[in-house]
Amino acid sequence: MHVDLDSAVALAEDLLFGGAQGAKRADESTFEDYATNLESADLPLRSAERLVHLAKVLLALRFEASSLRVVWLGLRLLQLAEAGPHACGAEVWSDAAVLLAEHEQLDQARSALVTALSKSREGAQSLRPRILANLAAVNLRSGNARDAGKWAESAEEALDAMGGSWPADRDGKEEEAAVRLMINWVRAAVTATPAGVQDQGATTSFAQAARTFSEIAGDQHSLSLNAAFDLALRAIKNAAATGRPEQAARGREALEIIGLHVSATYGTEDPRALAVRAVLANAELEATSAGSDPSGSSALAALERIAGTTSAVLGVDHPQSLATLDSRARILPDLPSSLELPYRIDHFYLPQDGEERNAAKKEALGREGSLVRLIAHGGASYLLEDANRFRPILLERLARHVHFEIIISNPWNSLGVFINKDLHPDGEVTAENIIDIIRNSRYYVETFVAVTEAYEELRRLYGEAIELRLTPMDIPATTLLTSEGGFYEPYVTTDPEYRTSHGMKTFEVRFNRATRLYEDSLAGFATQWELASSLDHFRSNEKQYQSRLRLLMTTLTNANKKPGSR
């Protein structure tokens, strides 16, 4: 394909403004080709502004992948142009930053906004309030509420400094109202408590700013709809946090009306319309009462319908699809579901990624507030202080009343027949010596005994908050499950001696709870938990487990004898 930026822009604008709706998938593929060729072309630096414009149009067309590639290319040219005569002004940098934020590239968006802010001192003073307000919003979305509040204060100061210098036409009034709306939006979010209780003054100012903007720009403006949506959602959260069901009901009614407006404005399959419907279904499910719908089946069916529609329209791997599936996984998880969850892996770790993998696990454990489930061959990484892995975070969570259910291998299970096969391939293991070999192994002494002793110590300190069970079945992998997702690391060796005190030898995958992997792992844990026994039960029946292992060893030895041998 010939690289022609103007042709790409013209085609995108024709699709957006000319009403050409045929074969959207082919059109998206066309822009993927354009992006590939633009990336490899030696574009002049002055193309940066045009690329940002193209990315904006592509995003409006919902061609997210192409838009992101083009805005990255535009950002690169913007940066390169800073050294020469084609450096772009504050507005282009601001537009690029907003696009990056739309694509959740928040660090890059913040950096671009700071550049835009610096450039606004060179004659674009009217842009400063908007840039500062966007900095507040980006910091808020990044989880930095403290800085978000400070940027909002700076935005208001810049806005007030404009005084009467705003253009008196409709565009000027709309710009001022939009900036004030963003400022108050951020303040409402910053002042809300984690439980969802809203600051009444901040919420009132936000609502007033939203009304003012809607009066100027119209109720159907995207910012008006987004503000109305957020206000309704805040009313529902505040009602839940303060025990006011009538306020929650009004919030759901408002969401339903907003959903109709969004669908009428953008179409029923637009991501914004799907998002409102998903949030409404989620709110209805949370509000399900025993009197009106004991099983929650009607609300659940509505949420599953929108989850299915979102996945079908946007793709099962789209962040919005995953968020909707996550809502289903988060609420009433014990209800039967007709929803087919995806087999999705969030991250794949190789042996050289050990530090990254461990950091991710610690982060997942640190976020857990309820229950952690663990299946592991030995459990040393979690229970032993000498392992220097996850015991500190386990202790921290136990101190915060998080419960741990842990399953490890019974040392006398069938896996015992493989003892020394990896480390001592020439050592002969028989039914007569297998118990002694295992009991004298490094695995038994340094892992099994040490782990059970560590467990008993923790049990004395934290009581029923931690429970260890031993399974007579082979454990083929380590599985860690939290309320948010899980980690799975398969073993490559059969020798129990080689499964402990060694780094990762295969790989590990991380997945979230809105996946088939999580559902299957949860079901597998439940089965193992029922089959496994307590430590006390294991000790009282240890000789029986040893006898079974000797019997298995005898059976295998007899099966491997050559015909005619005695």
Side-chain angles (χ1 to χ4, degrees):
M1 177 185 289
H2 175 66
V3 181
D4 186 343
L5 179 55
D6 288 337
S7 295
V9 172
L11 178 58
E13 289 179 339
D14 182 57
L15 280 172
L16 183 62
F17 303 117
Q21 295 295 324
K24 274 201 169 186
R25 283 291 163 192
D27 294 329
E28 187 167 8
S29 174
T30 299
F31 287 107
E32 282 291 301
D33 292 339
Y34 267 120
T36 298
N37 285 280
L38 289 169
E39 287 167 343
S40 61
D42 187 18
L43 293 172
L45 298 181
R46 62 178 178 274
S47 302
E49 183 173 359
R50 198 77 167 140
L51 286 166
V52 171
H53 174 72
L54 174 59
K56 190 185 301 185
V57 178
L58 291 175
L59 184 60
L61 288 166
R62 287 169 41 196
F63 297 161
E64 288 93 350
S66 300
S67 173
L68 180 57
R69 291 174 67 183
V70 172
V71 76
W72 270 118
L73 179 56
L75 180 63
R76 175 174 159 268
L77 293 188
L78 280 172
Q79 293 167 339
L80 291 171
E82 285 300 294
H86 298 294
C88 291
E91 186 160 11
V92 180
W93 276 94
S94 178
D95 288 346
V98 170
L99 281 168
L100 289 164
E102 289 284 348
H103 288 294
E104 296 298 326
Q105 308 297 306
L106 300 179
D107 288 342
Q108 292 78 12
R110 184 165 46 245
S111 177
L113 283 168
V114 170
T115 300
L117 182 63
S118 177
K119 286 179 169 290
S120 69
R121 297 188 180 95
E122 302 168 5
Q125 290 290 324
S126 61
L127 290 175
R128 288 179 63 79
R130 186 209 309 173
I131 294 169
L132 289 163
N134 280 327
L135 273 165
V138 167
N139 275 275
L140 181 65
R141 288 169 61 182
S142 300
N144 191 346
R146 182 178 179 181
D147 283 0
K150 291 182 177 179
W151 284 116
E153 288 179 13
S154 297
E156 187 169 50
E157 290 171 2
L159 196 62
D160 292 339
M162 292 284 294
S165 60
W166 283 102
D169 59 7
R170 185 177 180 277
D171 289 342
K173 292 179 180 178
E174 183 176 316
E175 173 73 4
E176 181 181 5
V179 172
R180 289 202 185 277
L181 174 55
M182 283 192 287
I183 292 169
N184 285 284
W185 200 329
V186 169
R187 282 181 173 159
V190 168
T191 55
T193 70
V197 179
Q198 307 296 313
D199 180 272
Q200 191 59 46
T203 303
T204 300
S205 296
F206 176 27
Q208 180 57 53
R211 282 194 296 272
T212 300
F213 180 82
S214 295
E215 290 169 359
I216 297 170
D219 293 337
Q220 305 305 311
H221 192 284
S222 60
L223 194 55
S224 299
L225 291 170
N226 288 337
F229 171 75
D230 194 78
L231 282 164
L233 195 56
R234 288 183 183 283
I236 293 172
K237 290 180 178 179
N238 188 67
T242 56
R244 299 165 64 188
E246 70 288 344
Q247 183 187 23
R250 290 195 297 272
R252 293 193 300 275
E253 290 174 3
L255 272 183
E256 188 170 5
I257 295 170
I258 294 163
L260 294 173
H261 282 307
V262 173
S263 295
T265 303
Y266 301 109
T268 57
E269 294 187 351
D270 185 89
R272 287 159 288 196
L274 294 171
V276 176
R277 288 167 58 194
V279 170
L280 176 60
N282 191 40
E284 293 285 2
L285 187 54
E286 286 184 323
T288 298
S289 64
S292 62
D293 187 7
S295 68
S297 57
S298 298
L300 177 63
L303 180 59
E304 293 195 342
R305 279 196 301 273
I306 187 58
T309 301
T310 303
S311 297
V313 173
L314 302 180
V316 72
D317 288 334
H318 191 280
Q320 191 166 314
S321 301
L322 295 172
T324 310
L325 290 169
D326 183 67
S327 294
R328 167 59 184 94
R330 185 183 296 269
I331 300 176
L332 301 176
D334 295 330
L335 288 178
S337 174
S338 62
L339 199 61
E340 186 62 31
L341 295 171
Y343 281 97
R344 176 184 171 86
I345 292 173
D346 288 342
H347 201 90
F348 188 90
Y349 302 98
L350 292 173
Q352 60 266 32
D353 304 322
E355 289 188 10
E356 182 185 358
R357 181 270 305 254
N358 291 340
K361 283 186 171 181
K362 289 175 183 176
E363 183 181 354
L365 290 167
R367 287 198 306 266
E368 181 56 47
S370 177
L371 174 64
V372 174
R373 298 177 176 92
L374 171 68
I375 302 179
H377 173 65
S381 296
Y382 292 84
L383 292 170
L384 296 189
E385 190 171 356
D386 293 343
N388 196 26
R389 288 277 183 84
F390 306 113
R391 181 180 165 97
I393 190 67
L394 179 144
L395 294 176
E396 178 191 313
R397 294 290 89 195
L398 283 170
R400 293 180 178 272
H401 311 292
V402 174
H403 285 243
F404 282 78
E405 294 178 352
I406 302 173
I407 302 172
I408 63 171
S409 287
N410 174 334
W412 316 120
N413 71 18
S414 59
L415 195 69
V417 302
F418 297 103
I419 191 74
N420 285 354
K421 292 297 185 184
D422 289 327
L423 298 180
H424 308 289
D426 299 327
E428 184 179 2
V429 182
T430 67
E432 287 72 28
N433 67 12
I434 189 170
I435 301 302
D436 288 336
I437 288 177
I438 292 175
R439 187 180 281 123
N440 293 322
S441 69
R442 182 181 177 187
Y443 150 67
Y444 186 87
V445 174
E446 297 183 8
T447 298
F448 178 73
V449 173
V451 163
T452 52
E453 288 177 349
Y455 162 68
E456 289 180 306
E457 175 197 357
L458 294 174
R459 183 77 172 183
R460 285 192 294 271
L461 291 171
Y462 298 103
E464 295 182 357
I466 183 168
E467 183 174 358
L468 176 73
R469 292 191 183 183
L470 288 76
T471 177
M473 313 297 291
D474 177 30
I475 294 176
T478 293
T479 305
L480 174 67
L481 299 172
T482 69
S483 300
E484 299 295 324
F487 295 80
Y488 178 86
E489 176 196 352
Y491 303 136
V492 72
T493 178
T494 53
D495 190 337
E497 183 96 298
Y498 200 61
R499 287 189 179 181
T500 61
S501 302
H502 292 81
M504 180 168 55
K505 299 297 182 184
T506 55
F507 60 87
E508 186 154 7
V509 296
R510 188 184 79 222
F511 47 90
N512 68 49
R513 67 179 165 198
T515 61
R516 185 81 269 163
L517 291 172
Y518 186 82
E519 292 288 314
D520 291 346
S521 299
L522 209 56
F525 184 93
T527 300
Q528 285 276 25
W529 190 254
E530 291 302 316
L531 292 172
S533 62
S534 68
L535 184 58
D536 288 341
H537 180 275
F538 162 77
R539 285 172 173 164
S540 62
N541 294 275
E542 190 168 10
K543 290 190 180 300
Q544 294 181 35
Y545 289 119
Q546 292 173 350
S547 297
R548 288 180 186 175
L549 181 57
R550 287 194 188 98
L551 179 60
L552 175 61
M553 196 69 203
T554 300
T555 302
L556 291 173
T557 301
N558 292 336
N560 290 329
K561 282 184 178 179
K562 295 181 180 179
S565 63
R566 303 178 68 84

